[in-house]
Amino acid sequence: VRCPESVRIHKFALKGVQSGIIRNWKLQASNNDTEWADLYENGAVIDQSFNFYNVDSLIKYSTYRIWISDAVGELPGLNKWQIYTVDELV
């Protein structure tokens, strides 16, 4: 996900598809598409359940990705992915 401006997130939600399960994954973020920071690593399998995960980061990033290293099934993937940003205090 490439954001129009850098944002800090505090949580995200994922839901998988019927045709497979993602077993090993992590959420990564970058500001240059070259160096990636691990923000969350493998809390649970991604299946058809809609699950929320907390992120503990003070840094704003412009790009977020889910890096998948192990999955099973015919066509594993994501059905939904939501990120929740931290609002700036004025």
Side-chain angles (χ1 to χ4, degrees):
V1 172
R2 186 175 310 279
C3 302
E5 60 186 56
S6 295
V7 293
R8 180 178 152 212
I9 67 170
H10 66 96
K11 71 179 176 180
F12 63 103
L14 300 173
K15 180 179 179 183
V17 295
Q18 286 183 354
S19 57
I21 294 173
I22 298 170
R23 295 193 299 196
N24 196 4
W25 58 275
K26 57 186 162 183
L27 173 70
Q28 296 182 316
S30 177
N31 282 317
N32 60 16
D33 294 335
T34 303
E35 299 172 34
W36 292 90
D38 294 343
L39 299 183
Y40 191 92
E41 239 179 295
N42 217 44
V45 298
I46 300 173
D47 56 17
Q48 287 186 278
S49 303
F50 196 64
N51 292 302
F52 293 85
Y53 307 92
N54 294 320
V55 174
D56 187 20
S57 175
L58 299 175
I59 302 171
K60 292 180 180 182
Y61 292 99
S62 60
T63 307
Y64 293 88
R65 73 180 181 186
I66 303 293
W67 185 263
I68 299 168
S69 58
D70 186 31
V72 295
E74 188 176 321
L75 293 169
L78 295 176
N79 182 308
K80 290 186 175 27
W81 177 14
Q82 295 177 328
I83 59 174
Y84 298 85
T85 62
V86 175
D87 292 333
E88 294 291 325
L89 297 175
V90 180

